[in-house]
Amino acid sequence: MPRSSDNLWDLAVAEVQRKENSEDDTEASADSERSVFFIGNKNGGKTTIILRCIDRQSFGAVEVDAAFPKDIAHFWELGGGISLTDLINIPITIENIRTFSIVLVLDLSKPSELWHTIEKLLPVTKHHIDKIIGDIGKSNSKAANQIVQNVWRSFPNNHPDRQLIDPFPLPLLIIGSKYDIFQDFESEKRKIICKTLRFVSHFYGASLLFTSKSETHKGVMRLFVNHLAFGQDKSKLVSVDHNKPLVIPAGSDSFSQIGSPPASESELRQVHVRTPIELWKKIYERYFPPKKTDDIKDVKDPAKDPQYAERDVDTMRAQKDQELEQYKRNADKSWKSMSLGSHT
């Protein structure tokens, strides 16, 4: 309650402090409820990875102590590969953005689709997140700045690449799936793919790991996902050998360790680009030219996407489409008849 001696300025300061404390309390209570959004290649293994990370009976909840409420994680998945990017804005909201994380799943068995998938999904997701952070900043600059600063926690002040990277605005984990197929590729191909994904992950301030059906890989993957979903301790494992599955927590790599793109100096001089990431793209696509596939082709009408095929519904839709076409033809005849009659 305000004292009679308080002036208008004192009351205003007290009100601002009260709101900030209230927001801090809300954020603290929200830490027990997080969201993880899986995006990536169509049929790249997103659903399988989610099911491997959680017990089907746990419903995405982990009980830390019987005396306290359960930590809850909401797992979202964007189906359809890159064809339904318009749906990315649905799960990411101004209410949950402070406890939201992104997992990009890339199918290692399809190297010609990797860069296209990255290019289609990450910028769209980043644009939506940046817009939300901007909206928050209009009314609460402190909260917006806190979200931005959180992504830098993995990069100490003395990290050599702090001025060279462009961290994703939310925690980002990149998973290379189907390593069991990838490990049979030629050594040189594996090396190029590994170096490229290391560069992309480090540039975006993301963690990177490869996984397969192996129980060992499954355990490592759960460590990374559980850190995002339940705030558990980060994995301290690090593996950068292209002959083994990559395991690289955010902030543990560097451009000097990754090295230059896989091209000669003369080839690099012939490539005209504006940014380092464009350079890596050009070099990568020389080895793995992008292919036109059903996954890459944008599907403007989700009803025509085979992923959502439903016989009874599709039969009824086909019938309605025929009726609509017949209506259009009849209407066209009517308008022509009216036009002729008017002309006469």
Side-chain angles (χ1 to χ4, degrees):
M1 178 178 294
R3 302 186 302 271
S4 57
S5 59
D6 289 339
N7 57 35
L8 184 60
W9 178 253
D10 292 331
L11 294 175
V13 171
E15 178 66 13
V16 170
Q17 291 177 342
R18 184 190 67 78
K19 287 185 176 180
E20 288 183 346
N21 292 335
S22 175
E23 287 165 356
D24 290 340
D25 292 340
T26 301
E27 290 178 22
S29 63
D31 284 346
S32 62
E33 190 166 329
R34 303 170 183 244
S35 298
V36 184
F37 189 19
F38 288 77
I39 59 179
N41 289 86
K42 184 178 181 180
N43 300 321
K46 297 186 293 295
T47 303
T48 301
I49 288 174
I50 293 173
L51 295 178
R52 286 176 183 169
C53 288
I54 62 173
D55 183 344
R56 286 175 180 269
Q57 297 180 348
S58 73
F59 300 98
V62 172
E63 186 165 354
V64 179
D65 191 314
F68 295 94
K70 293 181 178 180
D71 289 334
I72 299 174
H74 303 277
F75 287 86
W76 296 79
E77 177 186 350
L78 178 68
I82 64 173
S83 64
L84 300 176
T85 54
D86 290 345
L87 302 181
I88 284 176
N89 63 338
I90 293 177
I92 312 174
T93 67
I94 197 169
E95 289 78 19
N96 66 16
I97 193 170
R98 295 171 181 82
T99 54
F100 209 95
S101 302
I102 306 294
V103 177
L104 173 63
V105 180
L106 300 173
D107 188 341
L108 295 175
S109 69
K110 300 175 181 177
S112 294
E113 297 180 17
L114 289 185
W115 197 283
H116 191 77
T117 302
I118 294 169
E119 197 172 46
K120 283 292 184 178
L121 292 175
L122 284 189
V124 173
T125 308
K126 183 178 185 298
H127 176 75
H128 177 64
I129 295 169
D130 286 340
K131 183 178 183 301
I132 292 179
I133 295 175
D135 291 340
I136 293 174
K138 293 175 182 177
S139 59
N140 190 338
S141 59
K142 177 183 175 182
N145 289 333
Q146 186 62 52
I147 296 172
V148 174
Q149 291 304 314
N150 283 342
V151 301
W152 287 100
R153 288 181 177 178
S154 299
F155 292 84
N157 291 332
N158 62 350
H159 194 289
D161 300 333
R162 276 185 67 92
Q163 303 300 321
L164 304 174
I165 63 174
D166 183 18
F168 203 74
L170 293 182
L172 173 64
L173 168 62
I174 298 178
I175 297 180
S177 65
K178 303 183 183 179
Y179 179 80
D180 48 332
I181 299 175
F182 174 78
Q183 65 183 349
D184 293 330
F185 286 8
E186 296 176 4
S187 177
E188 190 60 27
K189 288 185 177 181
R190 281 188 280 111
K191 185 176 181 180
I192 294 169
I193 295 171
C194 286
K195 287 190 67 172
T196 302
L197 291 183
R198 283 179 65 187
F199 173 85
V200 171
S201 298
H202 186 57
F203 180 80
Y204 282 116
S207 296
L208 172 66
L209 69 91
F210 289 176
T211 190
S212 69
K213 300 175 182 178
S214 163
E215 285 299 317
T216 302
H217 296 172
K218 175 182 174 181
V220 174
M221 179 179 62
R222 289 187 68 168
L223 287 174
F224 277 82
V225 175
N226 284 344
H227 170 67
L228 299 177
F230 304 111
Q232 297 183 6
D233 292 341
K234 290 183 178 181
S235 171
K236 297 181 180 179
L237 298 172
V238 178
S239 174
V240 297
D241 186 350
H242 73 275
N243 293 310
K244 299 177 182 179
L246 296 183
V247 183
I248 310 176
S252 59
D253 212 342
S254 68
F255 291 135
S256 61
Q257 292 176 325
I258 296 169
S260 60
S264 66
E265 290 186 13
S266 60
E267 289 174 326
L268 292 176
R269 285 196 295 268
Q270 294 173 7
V271 179
H272 300 288
V273 293
R274 293 173 297 176
T275 64
I277 202 160
E278 289 180 1
L279 174 63
W280 278 84
K281 174 188 176 181
K282 292 287 187 181
I283 300 301
Y284 182 82
E285 291 184 343
R286 286 186 178 183
Y287 292 95
F288 304 102
K291 295 180 180 178
K292 281 289 183 180
T293 68
D294 292 338
D295 187 25
I296 291 179
K297 183 177 63 177
D298 290 340
V299 180
K300 298 303 182 183
D301 186 354
K304 297 178 181 178
D305 190 336
Q307 179 184 7
Y308 303 102
E310 195 72 42
R311 187 180 63 180
D312 294 341
V313 175
D314 292 342
T315 299
M316 180 59 69
R317 181 182 175 87
Q319 178 182 332
K320 293 299 181 182
D321 286 343
Q322 291 178 356
E323 293 176 359
L324 178 60
E325 288 302 318
Q326 184 61 46
Y327 172 81
K328 288 179 179 178
R329 287 194 291 270
N330 292 340
D332 187 50
K333 291 179 180 178
S334 298
W335 280 106
K336 288 183 178 178
S337 176
M338 293 173 61
S339 178
L340 288 172
S342 174
H343 180 72
T344 302

